Amino acid sequence: APWKEFFPDGNTVKISVTNTIEWRENNKIHELTNEKTRAKYASCVGLMYQSGMDTSGHPIVYLKPAFLDEHPDAIDASSSYQLYTMERTELLIQRSGSEALGFVGVLDCANCTFDTLKMFAKCQVSQFTTLATHYAGRLDRAYILHASALVKIAWGFVSPFLTPATRKSIQFAPMKDTEGFLRHELGAAGLQKQHGGRRSDFDAATYLTQEC
């Protein structure tokens, strides 16, 4: 089973669960989705968000590399916003009653520059340990869109930080007929219109005001 890569034995499971419970309590993860805390993420909205599900019931999480302020407060806000999105996705899975235990990632690299990739990597790499430890096995699969040669070079630097299972679950979407590929992989109903689906595109004005 896939989970055995993350939890090979009973003792590892016990330690991992205990550590995650302590991490959630110490970092007040339960507060990330409340209305007061959500207001702090306004500058990060659109970089990562959850919208729709694929045909198997996996929530779809979209990511868009963008240049951020390098001030520590801005990076902290971005990191908290990523955790907020993960918590939002977890709640959706729980409430859906679906047997799908993971999410699908869609990373759109259109028009990425060296600076945006550098900042995106800086924010993401710092989160790898947190996501791998406390959301282990949650990524079902992911697709990288519009990958230029620069993006593929960046992937070469980032991929060694990922587990073998995670690397295998990530693939580059074809440059030709990307929309048709995504419709086949995810289904048109849960896919956003900007990517060739039928679901309404992301609305930053209302995303954080919606209850999780």
Side-chain angles (χ1 to χ4, degrees):
W3 61 267
K4 288 186 177 180
E5 177 175 347
F6 304 98
F7 308 118
D9 56 66
N11 189 52
T12 303
V13 172
K14 181 178 179 180
I15 294 173
S16 178
V17 170
T18 300
N19 288 342
T20 293
I21 291 173
E22 292 178 353
W23 171 78
R24 294 182 68 85
E25 292 177 347
N26 293 338
N27 292 278
K28 300 180 179 180
I29 300 300
H30 62 283
E31 295 183 1
L32 291 176
T33 56
N34 67 38
E35 184 176 357
K36 183 178 180 180
T37 306
R38 293 201 305 262
K40 300 178 181 179
Y41 308 141
S43 63
C44 306
V45 173
L47 304 180
M48 179 180 185
Y49 58 91
Q50 187 283 317
S51 178
M53 292 186 170
D54 72 358
T55 54
S56 298
H58 299 94
I60 302 173
V61 175
Y62 295 88
L63 297 94
K64 177 72 175 178
F67 185 78
L68 296 172
D69 186 343
E70 293 195 50
H71 189 280
D73 288 346
I75 294 177
D76 287 344
S78 175
S79 297
S80 294
Y81 177 67
Q82 291 177 52
L83 295 178
Y84 160 77
T85 302
M86 292 301 299
E87 289 297 301
R88 184 179 178 124
T89 303
E90 289 276 338
L91 287 171
L92 182 60
I93 292 173
Q94 294 172 16
R95 294 171 181 172
S96 69
S98 169
E99 294 183 0
L101 298 178
F103 69 92
V104 178
V106 176
L107 175 60
D108 186 0
C109 295
N111 303 316
C112 277
T113 65
F114 176 79
D115 286 337
T116 56
L117 286 174
K118 178 182 176 182
M119 176 55 68
F120 182 73
K122 182 176 181 179
C123 294
Q124 290 297 319
V125 170
S126 65
Q127 286 287 77
F128 281 166
T129 300
T130 297
L131 297 178
T133 301
H134 304 299
Y135 299 93
R138 278 321 211 188
L139 178 65
D140 182 76
R141 63 195 191 283
Y143 304 98
I144 301 177
L145 315 183
H146 309 118
S148 64
L150 181 62
V151 171
K152 292 183 177 179
I153 291 173
W155 169 251
F157 286 105
V158 172
S159 59
F161 291 95
L162 307 177
T163 65
T166 299
R167 284 197 297 271
K168 286 192 295 185
S169 68
I170 300 173
Q171 63 175 296
F172 290 93
M175 298 294 281
K176 183 178 180 180
D177 194 22
T178 302
E179 293 183 352
F181 170 79
L182 290 176
R183 283 193 296 270
H184 177 269
E185 294 292 316
L186 306 178
L191 185 65
Q192 291 191 329
K193 291 181 179 178
Q194 64 174 315
H195 295 297
R198 297 198 299 268
R199 186 177 178 84
S200 297
D201 287 333
F202 176 71
D203 183 359
T206 61
Y207 186 65
L208 291 179
T209 62
Q210 299 169 348
E211 287 298 323
C212 298

